[in-house]
Amino acid sequence: MAKKKFYAVVKGRQPGIYQEWSGENGAEAQVSGFPGAVYKGFSTFAEAEQWFQHHHEANSEDSTTRSGETSHEQDEQKGRDNSQLPQVTIYTDGSCINNPGPGGYGVVLLHGSHRKELSGGFRMTTNNRMEILAAIEGLKALKTRCNVTIYSDSKYLVDSIMSGHAERWKANNWKRTNTEMAINPDLWEQLLQLCTQHQVKFVWIQGHAGNLENERCNQLAISAAQQSNLPSDEQYEMKCQQ
C-alpha cells in the first residue's frame, strides 16, 4: 500500500491540502476535536486535489441549503455558476527579499490543455502584498466569467477571503477594529471586485511540499523580485512616506 503523503481537509479549522499529518502545521491539528471534520489521505497531490474539489463543492452546497435557499433555487444557481462556466485552476505565490524589500509574484493558470505563466516585481513592497497581487493578476488574465480554484500557500490570503474578513474590513471602511486599520486595502479592494466577476474559491496548500505548480510559482516570484530596474509599488511607497 502506498504511503499517504497528502491530506485533504474539506471541513476543519483550516481547509486545504497538507503534506504532513502531525505537527502544528499538519492536517491532524486541523481536524482533531473539530465537530464533523471531513478529511482523507492520498499518495499523490493530484488525487488529493480532485477529492478536495469534489467534496468542497458538495460541502458548500450543503451549507447554502442550510442557510435557507431551496434545493430548486440552489440547483439553478449551481447550473449558472458552475457547470456552464469554464473551469480554471490558478496557482499563485509571492516573494519578497528582506520583507519589506524587492518583491515579486508568480502565477500559473491552467485550463484544459492550456497553460499560462505570469510574473512581475516591484522595487519595494512586502511578501503579503505580492501574495494578494498574484491572485489579482491571475484573475485579471481571465477573458470571461469562469469557475476558478486558486491554490496558495499564503494563509493570510486564503483566510482573509474564505473567512469573510476582507469583506468585513471593506464594509467597515477598512477598519479591522475600532482602533486598527486593515493593511493593504488597495489590493483587497481589487481582489474582492475581481471575485465578484467569477465563481472563485481559495484553497490553502502547504508551500515547498513538492507540488510542481506551487514550486514553479515560487520560482517565478523569486526571479521577478531579483530583476533590476523594478517599478514602484506606488501605494505601498506612498503609505511608507506618511
Side-chain angles (χ1 to χ4, degrees):
M1 180 179 293
K3 182 179 178 180
K4 293 180 173 58
K5 298 194 300 182
F6 297 94
Y7 302 90
V9 178
V10 171
K11 188 175 180 182
R13 295 179 180 84
Q14 172 64 62
I17 300 175
Y18 297 77
Q19 190 184 30
E20 300 174 356
W21 171 251
S22 303
E24 182 180 354
N25 295 318
E28 183 180 25
Q30 314 308 318
V31 302
S32 180
F34 189 91
V38 179
Y39 60 97
K40 189 175 181 180
F42 299 88
S43 59
T44 68
F45 180 86
E47 293 173 327
E49 179 184 33
Q50 183 179 31
W51 186 87
F52 180 92
Q53 289 188 353
H54 174 74
H55 287 78
H56 187 270
E57 290 174 359
N59 190 59
S60 298
E61 291 166 11
D62 289 344
S63 297
T64 303
T65 302
R66 286 194 297 270
S67 67
E69 186 179 38
T70 67
S71 59
H72 176 68
E73 290 171 338
Q74 185 200 336
D75 288 343
E76 290 185 340
Q77 185 67 29
K78 179 184 176 183
R80 289 193 299 270
D81 290 344
N82 292 321
S83 64
Q84 297 178 6
L85 298 177
Q87 308 291 308
V88 177
T89 299
I90 301 178
Y91 288 85
T92 67
D93 198 15
S95 175
C96 189
I97 302 171
N98 296 325
N99 195 31
Y105 64 85
V107 184
V108 173
L109 298 98
L110 303 172
H111 172 55
S113 61
H114 299 285
R115 176 191 179 89
K116 186 174 184 178
E117 295 184 350
L118 304 170
S119 64
F122 297 89
R123 66 190 185 191
M124 179 60 66
T125 188
T126 68
N127 187 77
N128 281 342
R129 286 183 67 81
M130 294 299 94
E131 297 283 6
I132 304 170
L133 188 60
I136 289 172
E137 295 298 330
L139 291 173
K140 283 172 63 176
L142 303 177
K143 305 301 183 183
T144 187
R145 179 173 169 81
C146 298
N147 184 4
V148 185
T149 302
I150 297 179
Y151 290 96
S152 170
D153 60 17
S154 169
K155 288 189 176 183
Y156 170 69
L157 170 63
V158 175
D159 287 353
S160 295
I161 293 294
M162 297 305 292
S163 68
H165 290 329
E167 283 281 9
R168 287 191 288 273
W169 299 335
K170 180 180 178 180
N172 199 33
N173 294 318
W174 298 110
K175 291 182 179 180
R176 295 185 63 187
T177 67
N178 290 334
T179 59
E180 184 180 359
M181 299 299 294
I183 301 173
N184 304 316
D186 58 314
L187 296 181
W188 289 123
E189 180 84 54
Q190 292 183 59
L191 183 55
L192 289 173
Q193 178 59 35
L194 286 164
C195 286
T196 66
Q197 300 173 21
H198 304 278
Q199 188 78 9
V200 185
K201 64 182 176 186
F202 286 74
V203 178
W204 181 80
I205 57 174
Q206 196 165 359
H208 310 291
N211 179 274
L212 294 180
E213 303 300 358
N214 175 257
E215 297 291 349
R216 178 55 181 160
C217 287
N218 181 251
Q219 294 170 0
L220 290 169
I222 292 175
S223 178
Q226 293 174 336
Q227 298 302 306
S228 59
N229 300 317
L230 290 171
S232 167
D233 182 350
E234 295 181 359
Q235 291 295 323
Y236 177 74
E237 293 194 18
M238 186 183 308
K239 180 69 174 178
C240 290
Q241 293 172 2
Q242 294 178 353

